[in-house]
Amino acid sequence: MYEIEFINHDETEILEVVATGKLNLESAIEISSKSREKAHNLGYQLLKDLSKLELNAGVLQVMEFFDPKKNEKLNIKHKYVVTALFVESSKLYYWKFWETVASNNGLVSKIFVDKERAFKWLQNKAEEKQK
């Protein structure tokens, strides 16, 4: 079971999603879909705070997460929504692997263990987009 909270940072046009609880593959799909859709509708960048999640997914599941043949429920819309993921440092290697697989599947995302750096990266991406 998990909970998600959406926080609009209107001054920086960033949607922050704070997820807590236990996360499995199906709930990861749901969080990804809901948060990308909401960020797209607002025209915002996306910050996912996953630092307090208990994750129940191995490396193989990360690879399958993005494979439409193995994961029919996943329909990643709005791949262009720029996303920063704030994660617990003890799980950094796992999430860096996720970042690579996501990038290989066309998503623009970056992993952070410092929330302020994640915000700054998103703000820089927004400025780049405006140029």
Side-chain angles (χ1 to χ4, degrees), residues 20-99:
T20 55
K22 292 184 179 184
L23 190 67
N24 60 23
L25 191 61
E26 205 165 289
S27 52
I29 293 168
E30 188 175 347
I31 288 172
S32 182
S33 178
K34 281 183 182 178
S35 59
R36 285 183 174 281
E37 182 73 26
K38 191 166 179 82
H40 164 74
N41 289 341
L42 292 168
Y44 283 11
Q45 310 278 23
L46 181 60
L47 172 66
K48 292 182 186 176
D49 181 343
L50 307 178
S51 64
K52 296 186 176 48
L53 275 179
E54 186 179 320
L55 192 61
N56 185 15
V59 173
L60 184 59
Q61 286 180 308
V62 171
M63 292 171 47
E64 291 178 354
F65 184 87
F66 295 100
D67 185 344
K69 293 175 189 163
K70 294 184 179 182
N71 192 358
E72 295 175 5
K73 293 181 181 180
L74 183 65
N75 180 13
I76 300 176
K77 296 180 180 177
H78 319 301
K79 284 187 174 186
Y80 57 85
V81 172
V82 176
T83 307
L85 284 81
F86 170 58
V87 301
E88 183 183 326
S89 61
S90 67
K91 297 179 178 124
L92 182 60
Y93 290 111
Y94 174 87
W95 286 108
K96 283 294 188 179
F97 179 74
W98 185 95
E99 178 184 76

Side-chain angles (χ1 to χ4, degrees), residues 96-108:
K96 283 294 188 179
F97 179 74
W98 185 95
E99 178 184 76
T100 300
V101 175
S103 176
N104 290 343
N105 283 276
L107 278 75
V108 179

Side-chain angles (χ1 to χ4, degrees), residues 103-127:
S103 176
N104 290 343
N105 283 276
L107 278 75
V108 179
S109 61
K110 189 162 174 68
I111 304 299
F112 294 89
V113 294
D114 180 307
K115 196 181 238 185
E116 288 306 312
R117 286 187 180 196
F119 271 110
K120 286 179 185 175
W121 181 78
L122 287 171
Q123 290 168 340
N124 288 338
K125 285 291 188 187
E127 290 171 9

